[in-house]
Amino acid sequence: MKELTRAEEEIMQVLWTIGSAFVKDIIDQLPDPKPAYSTVSTIVRILQQKGFVGHKAVGQSHQYHPLITKANYTKSFMKGFVKRYFDGSYQEMVSFFTKEQKLSVSELESLVKDLKKLKTKKL
């Protein structure tokens, strides 16, 4: 799966939140300063070409909807992120964020608890 640019991701976040929308609806959900209609329309067409967005014709307009779930994109993105920045090691990534974000002992214990739950589900 291709990675989204910042602008593409911003639009996908809107579509993941509201489900389906016309370009005007997407613009309404974006923060100020609002991009031009033509800019958003172009990005949505690029997202269609990449296979992230589909559309339904409504009169002479198009209503857009996500074809990829946020969860699936996040999973794919994180795999690539860990591979590029942490040599594929999730342990290195957790260690980095533990040091940088100064996680508390209770937060780390909560992570360990969650990991143990996942491990038992897989067994």
Side-chain angles (χ1 to χ4, degrees), residues 4-83:
L4 297 171
T5 66
R6 185 169 287 154
E8 291 166 348
E9 185 176 341
E10 192 172 25
I11 288 171
M12 285 304 299
Q13 291 289 352
V14 170
L15 289 173
W16 284 324
T17 299
I18 62 178
S20 63
F22 296 96
V23 171
K24 181 192 172 308
D25 302 325
I26 295 169
I27 293 168
D28 289 343
Q29 297 295 314
L30 295 172
D32 290 327
K34 307 278 189 200
Y37 184 96
S38 60
T39 300
V40 174
S41 181
T42 298
I43 294 169
V44 170
R45 281 195 304 274
I46 291 168
L47 287 166
Q48 277 191 282
Q49 291 169 355
K50 287 184 171 183
F52 282 89
V53 171
H55 76 273
K56 176 176 79 170
V58 179
Q60 292 187 348
S61 192
H62 291 110
Q63 187 175 36
Y64 298 97
H65 58 273
L67 295 175
I68 305 293
T69 66
K70 185 176 183 178
N72 283 343
Y73 179 73
T74 301
K75 184 177 178 180
S76 175
F77 173 81
M78 287 306 296
K79 281 183 181 178
F81 176 79
V82 171
K83 185 176 181 180

